[in-house]
Amino acid sequence: MSAPTRPPTGPRLAESMLIGGGTDAVHAWLTRTAEHCWMRVDRVPLDEVAGWRTEPDTGNLRHHTGRFFSVESLAVDLPGAAVPHWRQPIINQPEIGILGILTREIDGVLHFLMQAKHEPGNPNGLQLSPTVQATRSNYTRVHQGKAIPYLEHFRDTSGHRVVVDIRQSEQGAWFYRKRNRNMVVEVDGEIEVLDGFRWLTLGEVADLMAVPDLVNMDARTVLACLPSGGADLAGAATDAFTTALVRSADPATPGVHTIGDVLSWITEVRTRTDLHVALGPLSGLPDWTRVDGRIAHRSGGFFTVVGVDVEAGGREVAAWSQPMIEPVGTGVIAFLVKEIGGTLHVLTHARTEPGYADVTELAPTVQCVPETYDHLPARPRFLDEVLTSSRVRFDTVLSEEGGRFLGARNRYMIVETDADVAADDAEYRWLTLHQYEELLRHSFYVNIQARSLLLCLRSLVPRG
């Protein structure tokens, strides 16, 4: 039986958040690690992806073992949307993987064991990743590779303290009902730190969030599920903005809406949204063509499905091949934030995507690839304000999941606003940081882009 969950509230978490500034040593460690941990990625036609086959009856792409994932089509009906009907390729990966980070106290301060890891879709090579980042097929060693380090701490938590253990979704536009188990497990005493791993405080990770393409998506989603420390961060505030931010994380500070009101709103949106989806064959997919060894939309927009051959050093497997999704353009992922009654509130969008497990999740104020709207009839609400504002608090390009997406990057932004949104707006609500933390204790309320932005927002707490 697992040890009871014990969130690291109070001074332990606050201290870890405030202690930063060790990033020069982290960069030096990454440079040393890159000398023997490398990856080469070459594009190949989909018909030449070793170990994968195109099913003759459906055109779907599937691994010869039947494991890992498949690329299929999804038919979507969403009456009332700007585009009410469409079909698209989508990744179907029903396995639930483990995204896990070990934590322990070092000199009275919580540290987190992070890994320097390559993925074939990473635009810049090594990124800061969770202790364990593995699909079920990976950790059951379908690939016949080496065992995954530290996996035993997450598969058997006996004797440890489980800090976070929650299933969360991933990109609902590219994955069909994909879930991963997000875990943080606290260990007592020393454990061997293997090559390519390093203990970091939350403050150090927060400092590194400002570096483009460094903290990977899987690390961001796990760390976002931690509580922020709330009132214990009060001494960190240095100006009106950070005072309002710290108040936003304090459970004693009320928001514009109660958490009950927010839950009722989400339930109402999910109930009234008439979404119908169905998996189907890739062959004969309208508006998509399979030419030149890839699958692409006839407009040249959205994304393409491509094949890659991978060779790697410092990985469990030295070489493999796979299909990947390659987005067209860099996205914009943004929170508009506003001080209301002395407390920072985040403008939150109830967003429906066809691959979500439960229809709608809470999303950033803006989440789009601006170039995509050259092909669509409506421009996203608030996009122009985000792109033209002079009140930008955070602005960094970060990569998405490099195991399935090739070169997927988004510009993550936090922008102050004076916008007024009606209290009964059908699609948007003002939430506090603590309300987000309450929702993150449960599955499928907060989407992966919003989870990344929440970590970006926490990184704005001064660290002295």
Side-chain angles (χ1 to χ4, degrees):
M1 180 178 294
S2 300
T5 300
R6 183 170 70 91
T9 54
R12 298 197 312 148
L13 194 69
E15 280 290 310
S16 185
M17 185 68 211
L18 297 178
I19 293 178
T23 55
D24 288 344
V26 177
H27 286 295
W29 163 67
L30 288 167
T31 299
R32 292 193 304 272
T33 303
E35 293 174 358
H36 56 84
C37 185
W38 54 271
M39 182 169 285
R40 190 179 75 202
V41 180
D42 296 315
R43 293 171 183 264
V44 295
L46 288 171
D47 291 336
E48 299 177 16
V49 178
W52 292 76
R53 61 189 179 91
T54 299
E55 294 182 328
D57 53 340
T58 64
N60 294 345
L61 299 169
R62 196 176 303 275
H63 195 260
H64 71 92
T65 62
R67 302 289 297 276
F68 298 105
F69 64 93
S70 59
V71 183
E72 307 178 28
S73 76
L74 193 70
V76 183
D77 289 297
L78 186 56
V83 179
H85 313 284
W86 74 93
R87 290 178 65 188
Q88 65 170 87
I90 199 158
I91 295 174
N92 184 10
Q93 186 173 333
E95 298 181 345
I96 298 177
I98 293 175
L99 305 177
I101 298 179
L102 292 180
T103 184
R104 66 177 286 251
E105 283 191 11
I106 302 175
D107 297 329
V109 177
L110 280 176
H111 286 65
F112 297 80
L113 188 62
M114 308 303 292
Q115 178 182 183
K117 188 171 185 176
H118 273 290
E119 291 288 0
N122 289 0
N124 68 331
L126 285 177
Q127 294 190 358
L128 205 61
S129 308
T131 317
V132 168
Q133 176 183 316
T135 67
R136 184 183 296 273
S137 290
N138 289 144
Y139 68 71
T140 57
R141 299 170 70 181
V142 172
H143 49 47
Q144 299 181 331
K146 299 176 185 177
I148 294 173
Y150 305 108
L151 177 65
E152 67 276 9
H153 296 286
F154 301 97
R155 297 202 69 186
D156 180 4
T157 57
S158 301
H160 304 316
R161 285 180 289 276
V162 179
V163 179
V164 169
D165 192 356
I166 183 70
R167 292 188 307 164
Q168 295 289 9
S169 64
E170 297 202 4
Q171 285 87 348
W174 296 337
F175 280 121
Y176 179 70
R177 299 182 180 176
K178 173 73 158 45
R179 297 94 73 211
N180 271 319
R181 188 177 181 183
N182 289 229
M183 302 181 71
V184 178
V185 174
E186 185 176 359
V187 296
D188 291 323
E190 294 189 9
I191 63 172
E192 182 183 5
V193 178
L194 301 175
D195 191 30
F197 293 81
R198 185 180 180 93
W199 291 109
L200 300 178
T201 67
L202 286 179
E204 288 171 326
V205 175
D207 288 339
L208 295 167
M209 287 292 292
V211 180
D213 301 318
L214 183 55
V215 180
N216 86 349
M217 185 198 81
D218 296 309
R220 300 193 306 262
T221 179
V222 175
L223 294 174
C225 293
L226 286 167
S228 65
D232 296 294
L233 291 170
T238 57
D239 56 22
F241 177 83
T242 54
T243 298
L245 173 57
V246 170
R247 282 176 54 83
S248 188
D250 187 346
T253 303
V256 169
H257 306 280
T258 67
I259 193 65
D261 291 338
V262 172
L263 289 168
S264 181
W265 169 58
I266 299 169
T267 302
E268 167 63 23
V269 174
R270 287 173 169 172
T271 301
R272 72 167 182 260
T273 300
D274 188 21
L275 174 68
H276 300 275
V277 299
L279 290 169
L282 268 178
S283 56
L285 193 61
D287 298 323
W288 295 80
T289 59
R290 184 164 176 167
V291 294
D292 299 326
R294 63 193 190 117
I295 299 171
H297 195 265
R298 60 175 176 78
S299 68
F302 305 107
F303 61 87
T304 58
V305 182
V306 300
V308 296
D309 284 341
V310 184
E311 294 183 23
R315 290 280 300 236
E316 294 84 19
V317 179
W320 72 93
S321 302
Q322 66 175 90
M324 301 191 79
I325 281 181
E326 182 177 26
V328 175
T330 298
V332 173
I333 308 291
F335 272 153
L336 289 179
V337 298
K338 180 179 180 179
E339 182 184 330
I340 302 174
T343 301
L344 198 71
H345 284 68
V346 175
L347 187 57
T348 300
H349 182 208
R351 182 181 178 90
T352 297
E353 293 188 358
Y356 285 156
D358 198 0
V359 182
T360 300
E361 296 190 11
L362 297 187
T365 320
V366 172
Q367 177 185 319
C368 71
V369 177
E371 293 90 339
T372 295
Y373 291 86
D374 295 338
H375 311 287
L376 295 176
R379 192 164 173 85
R381 191 174 169 188
F382 302 112
L383 173 60
D384 292 330
E385 178 174 357
V386 165
L387 294 179
T388 59
S389 177
S390 61
R391 301 166 66 189
V392 178
R393 289 286 180 168
F394 185 96
D395 188 355
T396 302
V397 174
L398 299 173
S399 307
E400 301 308 322
E401 209 275 318
R404 300 291 177 264
F405 311 137
L406 184 63
R409 307 173 79 222
N410 284 303
R411 183 182 176 189
Y412 281 84
M413 303 179 69
I414 296 171
V415 178
E416 287 190 89
T417 185
D418 295 319
D420 289 322
V421 176
D424 60 351
D425 189 288
E427 297 184 50
Y428 292 85
R429 290 288 190 278
W430 292 105
L431 270 67
T432 66
L433 183 55
H434 177 69
Q435 287 172 332
Y436 266 111
E437 292 174 4
E438 285 289 306
L439 294 167
L440 281 169
R441 296 171 59 192
H442 308 280
S443 299
F444 314 140
Y445 277 117
V446 181
N447 81 354
I448 196 158
Q449 292 88 352
R451 296 197 298 274
S452 283
L453 269 180
L454 289 169
L455 197 65
C456 298
L457 186 59
R458 291 178 189 172
S459 77
L460 300 181
V461 175
R463 283 171 291 286

